[in-house]
Every structure is written in structure tokens, then in C-alpha cells.
Amino acid sequence: MEQTIRTVQPSSRQSELPADHSQLTIGLFAPPLVEPFQPSLSLPYLAAQMRSNGFSPVCHNLSSLFYVWLFRRVRIESMARYQRLNDAIGVLRDPARFFDPEAYRESLQMLEDFAIAAGRHDGLSYTLYPESHPSAVVASADYRELVHAMGGTLLERFLQDYVGFTLRLESYDVIAFSATNAFQLASSLFISKALKHAGVRAHLILGGHAVSLAGTNLAADEAISGCIDSLVLEGGADVFLRVCRDLVRGNPRRVYAAGDVEIGLDSKGFPTDKPYELVLQRDIEDLYLSPHQVFSIYSALGCSFGACTFCGSNRANADYVPREIAVMLDEMQALKQRYGITCFNICDNNFDPERAQYFCEALEQRQETVYWQCTSRVYDTLDRPLLRRMRQNGCVLMNVGLESGNDRILRLMRKGYTVDHAEQVMINMSEAGMALHTYVICSFPTETPEESENTLAFLKKHMQHCHSVYFQDYEAQLATKVFADALGTTSEGYPASRMIGALMADAAIQQDFVANGNLLRRKGYPFIEDHNFLYLVRKSQTKGGTAP
């Protein structure tokens, strides 16, 4: 790959850095490969924070582009096969056929089968179901092994075509990658190695959640990360600003952490009292396999509850930084006006009843029509009047953790509610017509087989109140366990696979639900989360609302 880049970008070693940091030319990249048809949430916000401080970054979503390229490159092999794939994409982008469950399923399955076959040939995990259909490679592989596995694959061909030929690499002073999982971390390192070998002059920066998890071990492994000029182990735009200003001053560092902030953002690095100028990619329409776009709006960092023992948003790890409700709505209205977006994910680990009520009041005052989904927890105040009000103001889905059907386990988790409380909230949501997606943690430390059976019995009793249920294996999926040492890891509880198998053996549940990976969902609804959201929006608007 580096030979291709060297050939097509001979001028990339020439110009010097500008004297003013605000004149830096910056490219922000979401590398392949996670949530391929949900353009990255972090990049538009990171870019907006940069713009508010005088920078002019450009975003590139390589994850979605890779799949678009993967499907379209078939033209040079078989026009007949390309036409079938293109027809399938057309179904998913058509407002009528997208909502035909049979047409939707057949079209998506055709694309998924093609992606899986390509991944099998490459020895990599290409899939359109990154959350509900996790790949063993993504879940367990070391990013070092993945870097070595990427050579000679279609992924490398894509990077040659897009990074090497399409982008004007010589124009960038800074190229930054944001890596969410092990695969994105590996592809960032793979691309960076090629860029360095080709002599591209841009200062290469790597950050994101996967980098934070890899930590100082990544920085110490020069053989694999030596291609990166600056690693951001912690922090966001505040630290990124520091890297850029250090670069202009001539003293950029190899490793940056949360303490390396630059004056310009508030003390949290997350302005809460003013809206961001959110600018999407020019080719945004080409990045969606759906007729309508869904955008994620930041409501808060951290969690307003912040006590759960298994969660990285526990106050022991993360402060709670909420944004003003009016600011969120300003951004939503701007996106609606500029891009026609009316469907939003409210990104908040706990969009609690108080914030939900203020949000509904603000929507009513502005007479604004949008559709949204949010995450909350079990509260006594999550009652039927509030839930109905949320439904009337466009909320079509709530994600609320059950976690366990045992009060002892809930106390160990420090959830702050009982099984009886959870039961009442589920009933309230059902009676208010609110779709519920709930979570169950399997094999929690000290859990017994009897307690797993109690959770199964609770779910069998209340599955009619659920739209979907996601099962998380404690050890495999909850990477940040705040009190792991105190809790230990010993458990006799059932794993997710056994819990799902037991539920799907029930004839009544099998009649209404279908399983995919660790997810149970009502029949007739997609397993890709944003697509499921759009189906719920359509269901809502056919009952008296307006089309999204």
C-alpha cells in the first residue's frame, strides 16, 4: 500500500507548517470498521469543537465508505452481480420498500452474505451487524494480529483507492484517526504505517476509546505504534487542540493524556451552554443504507446516577456533565433545517425523568416535531403520564436496563431499585405505548444458577412488555468494571447463550421474537439499530404522526 501512496503523492513532502495553528489543514478520519452505515458520532462533534476554536477540519468516514466501495467494485468483475447488489441497496434507500419487512430482509441479507464472503476470503470480519451479530475476530483478536492480517486484503485495496488516489494527502498538515474498537485501532495503525513509509509529511494523531483501553502498552510498543506521531490516551478536543498548538510551536509530544488540555474549552472540555456548528460530510447521503438519516445528539457526558458497579460511567471514573436542553434542541433544529434530519438518538447514559420532562416542555414550546430514542433507568417517576407525554413528543423507544431478576444481584450492582420497581416500570411503558429495549447482564460475579433461573422466569412473565432484550456476558463485554477487584469474577450464573436458548425454547416467546447473536427482538423489526428505530418511527407516524 505504501508504494501506491508514494507513487501518487510525490508532493506530500514539500510545504512547511503555517505559523498560525488555526491555519493548519486537518483531516479527521473514522477508520474502518464499526457501525458501517451509521456515520460516526464523534467526528462531527470533534470537528465542531475544533471549528469553535478557529480550526477548519474535514471529516472522512472510511467505515461507511469501505462498504460502499466493497459493493460497487463488483462492477469490474460481474455487472450482473453488481446490478443485484445495487438493486438491494436501492430497496434499502427507498422510502416504500425499506419498510416492507420481506423486501428489507432479503435485500439486507444479500448484502450481508456478500460482505461475509469477502471477509472470509480476506480472513477479516466484514459484517453489517456489528452490535447484534458480533464477530469473533472483532471481539477477541489482538489489534497487533489484525494489523498483520490486513496486508493483501480488499481492505488494503480500498485504502489504496481512497486514501492513496482520492485524497490530496499533500494538502494535510494533520491527519487524525479516532478508533472505537480493536479493528478500527488496527486499521488506523495499518494506514499510518503506509503513510509514514510513503513519506507523507502530515503529523499523524491517533485517539479514541480503543486507544484509551490499549493505554501505555500501545505507546511502548514502538514496533507497531512508531508510525504515530502523537497518541492521545485520554481526552477529546481539548487535548487535540494542545497537540495542534504544540505542533505549530515545534514541540509536539509523543503521548498526551487528559491533563494535557489547552485553554480555549471550558474546564470539562465540553461546552454545555452553546450549540455546536455540526457539519456533515458532503457525501452523507451515500453513507446510509436507509431512506432517512439518524443523527446522535449529545445530551451529557457521564451519568446522572453514576453508581452502578459495572459501568465505566460510574462517578469513580467519570464526572457527570449535562448540556442545556435548549442547546440540544438548537442543534436538532439546525440539522433539521440544513439536512432534513428529523430522527435523533439522545446520547446520554441516563436521560432521567427530570431531563425528559424538560425536553418535552421545550419541544412543546417550540412546537417542534422530531422523533427520538433515549436511554434511562428504572425510576418511580418514570410513570405513565410522563411516558405518554414523551410518546406525544416523538419518543418511540427507551433503552432501560433490567440487568437481573434478583434483588441481591441488583444490590451488588448498586442499581438503586428492586425487581418490583422494574416490573412496574415495564408495565407503565407498555400501557403508555412506549417500546422498551432492555438489557440483562449474565454471569455477574457470585450469581448462582437459581438466580439465573429467576431472571429467566421474570423475562418469560414480562416479555410481552419488551420490544427487544440484549444479553451481555459480564466478563466478555463489560470491559470497564469499576469495582472488579472487590466483586471478583467467580460466577455460576448462566452465560448469554444459555439464557437466550432457554427463552427461545418457550413456544410463546418463539412465536413473537427472533434471536440474532446476543439480541432478541420482535419479529418484523430490523437488527441494525438505526433501522429498527426508523421502523418504530414509521409505526408511530402511521398512528397519527407525520412521516420522518
Side-chain angles (χ1 to χ4, degrees):
M1 176 178 167
E2 57 265 25
Q3 182 58 47
T4 300
I5 294 177
R6 182 182 298 117
T7 300
V8 300
Q9 304 291 356
S11 62
S12 62
R13 312 172 190 81
Q14 295 176 2
S15 61
E16 297 180 356
L17 291 173
D20 185 347
H21 63 267
S22 66
Q23 299 302 311
L24 287 173
T25 305
I26 301 172
L28 302 178
F29 290 80
L33 193 129
V34 63
E35 289 288 359
F37 293 101
Q38 178 181 326
S40 172
L41 159 68
S42 60
L43 288 194
Y45 274 100
L46 176 59
Q49 286 180 311
M50 298 294 290
R51 279 193 298 274
S52 68
N53 283 267
F55 294 86
S56 300
V58 178
C59 295
H60 299 275
N61 187 338
L62 300 186
S63 187
S64 295
L65 285 171
F66 169 65
Y67 282 92
V68 172
W69 175 90
L70 190 65
F71 297 137
R72 288 180 175 169
R73 71 176 298 276
V74 180
R75 283 178 292 194
I76 63 175
E77 298 174 356
S78 169
M79 282 301 297
R81 191 176 191 188
Y82 165 73
Q83 191 59 56
R84 290 194 296 272
L85 293 173
N86 196 51
D87 288 346
I89 292 173
V91 168
L92 299 180
R93 289 177 174 165
D94 181 84
R97 292 182 292 172
F98 177 84
F99 294 106
D100 178 337
E102 184 175 353
Y104 171 89
R105 184 172 55 253
E106 290 179 357
S107 298
L108 188 64
Q109 194 61 52
M110 179 181 294
L111 298 175
E112 171 73 346
D113 290 344
F114 178 80
I116 288 175
R120 190 176 297 118
H121 176 271
D122 282 355
L124 295 173
S125 55
Y126 307 150
T127 174
L128 304 182
Y129 298 98
E131 286 191 357
S132 59
H133 190 187
S135 161
V137 174
V138 173
S140 63
D142 190 301
Y143 61 85
R144 301 170 187 83
E145 296 176 2
L146 284 170
V147 172
H148 297 308
M150 288 177 178
T153 64
L154 288 169
L155 178 63
E156 182 180 34
R157 282 286 306 277
F158 161 73
L159 295 172
Q160 289 173 345
D161 287 354
Y162 188 77
V163 178
F165 285 97
T166 305
L167 297 180
R168 292 182 57 82
L169 294 175
E170 67 274 15
S171 68
Y172 287 107
D173 301 311
V174 174
I175 292 177
F177 299 97
S178 177
T180 301
N181 65 6
F183 201 106
Q184 285 194 310
L185 177 55
S187 56
S188 299
L189 294 167
F190 182 77
I191 300 167
S192 298
K193 181 180 178 181
L195 295 176
K196 280 300 178 187
H197 282 194
V200 171
R201 69 173 178 83
H203 190 84
L204 303 185
I205 302 175
L206 176 58
H209 180 66
V211 178
S212 298
L213 290 179
T216 55
N217 290 334
L218 176 62
D221 190 351
E222 288 282 344
I224 199 162
S225 69
C227 53
I228 303 297
D229 296 307
S230 293
L231 286 164
V232 178
L233 301 185
E234 299 171 313
D238 46 1
V239 178
F240 193 94
L241 287 170
R242 175 64 182 272
V243 180
C244 292
R245 288 176 178 171
D246 283 353
L247 177 62
V248 170
R249 294 166 183 156
N251 58 348
R253 300 213 310 269
R254 162 79 168 144
V255 177
Y256 289 81
D260 299 314
V261 298
E262 178 64 56
I263 297 173
L265 301 182
D266 65 18
S267 60
K268 301 298 183 184
F270 186 69
T272 59
D273 59 353
K274 57 184 179 182
Y276 290 113
E277 181 193 352
L278 297 169
V279 178
L280 306 186
Q281 288 179 234
R282 289 188 297 272
D283 55 355
I284 191 71
E285 295 286 354
D286 207 27
L287 302 183
Y288 277 87
L289 274 189
S290 61
H292 308 292
Q293 298 173 18
V294 179
F295 192 85
S296 297
I297 292 287
Y298 270 121
S299 167
L301 296 181
C303 176
S304 59
F305 181 69
C308 301
T309 57
F310 56 82
C311 183
S313 293
N314 188 289
R315 294 292 179 85
N317 273 7
D319 292 332
Y320 173 58
V321 188
R323 304 181 74 200
E324 294 182 6
I325 294 296
V327 166
M328 294 168 52
L329 269 178
D330 288 344
E331 290 177 359
M332 294 167 76
Q333 288 183 313
L335 288 165
K336 181 178 179 180
Q337 182 177 10
R338 186 169 187 176
Y339 300 105
I341 298 175
T342 60
C343 299
F344 297 93
N345 298 312
I346 304 299
C347 289
D348 190 324
N349 288 320
N350 183 29
F351 198 61
D352 58 46
E354 184 177 14
R355 282 182 70 75
Q357 181 170 311
Y358 289 147
F359 188 63
C360 289
E361 288 176 358
L363 285 169
E364 290 162 0
Q365 289 170 1
R366 300 193 190 193
Q367 298 182 326
E368 187 60 77
T369 300
V370 293
Y371 297 93
W372 48 288
Q373 60 178 342
C374 65
T375 297
S376 190
R377 59 185 298 280
V378 172
Y379 285 99
D380 290 338
T381 51
L382 201 56
D383 54 24
R384 277 165 280 188
L386 175 59
L387 290 164
R388 290 193 184 103
R389 189 179 188 183
M390 293 170 67
R391 287 282 293 124
Q392 290 166 359
N393 282 282
C395 184
V396 299
L397 176 69
M398 292 189 70
N399 306 286
V400 179
L402 165 65
E403 316 303 7
S404 175
N406 300 273
D407 286 340
R408 186 187 77 86
I409 296 296
L410 292 175
R411 286 194 297 272
L412 282 178
M413 293 177 176
R414 301 185 185 177
K415 292 299 296 184
Y417 58 79
T418 67
V419 174
D420 287 343
H421 291 145
E423 180 179 43
Q424 186 59 55
V425 167
M426 294 175 81
I427 292 171
N428 289 346
M429 295 183 71
S430 183
E431 292 182 354
M434 181 70 74
L436 167 65
H437 173 81
T438 193
Y439 304 90
V440 174
I441 296 177
C442 307
S443 299
F444 195 79
T446 75
E447 186 176 17
T448 66
E450 181 182 5
E451 287 171 323
S452 292
E453 290 289 344
N454 290 341
T455 301
L456 284 170
F458 181 90
L459 288 170
K460 288 178 181 179
K461 180 180 178 182
H462 294 294
M463 280 298 285
Q464 76 270 21
H465 301 312
C466 299
H467 175 74
S468 52
V469 184
Y470 188 77
F471 295 84
Q472 304 176 86
D473 283 312
Y474 178 80
E475 270 304 299
Q477 292 181 272
L478 299 177
T480 305
K481 295 176 275 289
V482 180
F483 301 102
D485 292 340
L487 291 169
T489 57
T490 303
S491 177
E492 296 180 357
Y494 297 165
S497 58
R498 183 167 178 177
M499 297 288 284
I500 293 170
L503 289 173
M504 291 306 294
D506 185 286
I509 294 175
Q510 191 177 99
Q511 182 177 348
D512 295 329
F513 288 83
V514 62
N516 188 13
N518 284 14
L519 180 64
L520 292 186
R521 178 156 286 159
R522 286 195 175 272
K523 289 182 177 179
Y525 287 87
F527 282 96
I528 292 179
E529 295 308 321
D530 280 357
H531 293 186
N532 173 67
F533 175 37
L534 291 175
Y535 263 59
L536 287 169
V537 169
R538 172 53 63 95
K539 179 182 178 181
S540 174
Q541 59 97 17
T542 56
K543 291 187 175 182
T546 57

